[in-house]
Amino acid sequence: MKLVWSPEMAAKAFMDTVKSCQVYQGSSATELISAMAAGWNSKLIVETWSHGGAIATSIGLAVASTHTCGRHVCVVPDDDSRVEYAAALEKAGMSPEVIVGEPETVVKGLDVIDFLVVDSRKNDFERILIAAKFGLRGAVLVCKNASSRAASDFRWLSLFDDHGSRRIVRSVFLPVGKGLNIAHVAAGESGSSSDKKQKSRWIKRVDRESGEEFLFRK
């Protein structure tokens, strides 16, 4: 089984997120992420968050999980972050699951993830991506706040070249909000990529007009 895109589910999550976040002037990163999570019918949606972070994306993910009848988990580093996050989501009428702990360790212990959102401004975001488990359906990975660091410095290929056999079908940087780095991971064996060895050779091609990266297996 692979991730199958549902335009109807994406549209519903998009509109409900607009209403929940009270955003009326066009789309933003929040609506886009919510629509993507719902459109892929994500059953396990995971995000990382810490004290002082923006809450809009979390509301969008909570909305998406209601449409997919999925599980929305937020990983926070300490109790202060947990209290702040829970209070903000409760104010919006939502109560997602919150887990306190080292994000890399917590993510490694979760079941296979369909949709993962991390913050590019945090130094551990690459380790979190590597630790996550993806199942036979594949997964979508989102790095928000990507424009806060040189976007060209981060490459999905270099990340997964050194850590296992996960295959990136397509990746793109979108100048939406504060920047989004997004990748679709192909369906493969369940489990962490760090437990497997990559035997095939990968060839990368970059579309000069759009900036999108395409990977081909040889």
Side-chain angles (χ1 to χ4, degrees):
M1 181 185 296
K2 296 182 179 180
L3 286 173
V4 179
W5 178 255
S6 170
E8 295 80 9
M9 194 86 77
K12 291 177 181 178
F14 183 97
M15 295 307 300
D16 285 349
T17 300
V18 169
K19 295 175 184 178
S20 297
C21 295
Q22 297 182 347
V23 177
Y24 301 104
Q25 299 179 352
S27 63
S28 69
T30 297
E31 288 81 30
L32 175 60
I33 292 173
S34 177
M36 290 177 61
W40 288 115
N41 195 26
S42 306
K43 297 305 181 183
L44 178 54
I45 300 171
V46 179
E47 64 168 322
T48 60
W49 192 88
S50 59
H51 176 73
I55 207 70
T57 298
S58 301
I59 294 176
L61 292 175
V63 168
S65 68
T66 63
H67 284 282
T68 65
C69 296
R71 179 185 176 194
H72 172 208
V73 177
C74 180
V75 182
V76 298
D78 49 53
D79 283 328
D80 287 341
S81 296
R82 178 187 59 78
V83 171
E84 181 181 350
Y85 179 89
L89 268 291
E90 287 176 5
K91 186 176 181 180
M94 302 168 183
S95 55
E97 180 179 350
V98 184
I99 301 178
V100 179
E102 181 67 31
E104 179 183 352
T105 302
V106 174
V107 167
K108 185 180 296 184
L110 292 172
D111 294 331
V112 290
I113 297 171
D114 296 316
F115 199 90
L116 174 62
V117 181
V118 298
D119 192 337
S120 296
R121 295 175 302 184
K122 304 299 181 180
N123 293 330
D124 61 351
F125 86 97
E126 293 184 358
R127 297 198 302 273
I128 295 171
L129 294 173
I130 294 169
K133 299 175 183 177
F134 308 130
L136 298 177
R137 299 179 67 240
V140 174
L141 314 180
V142 178
C143 299
K144 62 182 183 179
N145 296 314
S147 60
S148 64
R149 53 188 289 137
S152 59
D153 288 347
F154 176 73
R155 289 288 181 267
W156 294 102
L157 180 61
S158 61
L159 177 64
F160 291 123
D161 255 357
D162 297 332
H163 297 279
S165 59
R166 283 184 288 190
R167 180 168 64 89
I168 301 297
V169 176
R170 187 175 184 181
S171 64
V172 63
F173 170 79
L174 298 178
V176 179
K178 295 184 179 180
L180 298 174
N181 262 323
I182 304 171
H184 176 203
V185 180
E189 295 183 3
S190 175
S192 173
S193 66
S194 60
D195 297 331
K196 304 175 181 69
K197 299 298 182 179
Q198 181 171 344
K199 298 179 180 179
S200 301
R201 186 165 66 93
W202 294 94
I203 300 175
K204 178 178 71 174
R205 294 289 183 269
V206 180
D207 187 317
R208 295 185 179 180
E209 294 185 2
S210 66
E212 292 182 320
E213 294 182 5
F214 298 88
L215 305 183
F216 302 90
R217 195 171 192 172
K218 183 176 181 181

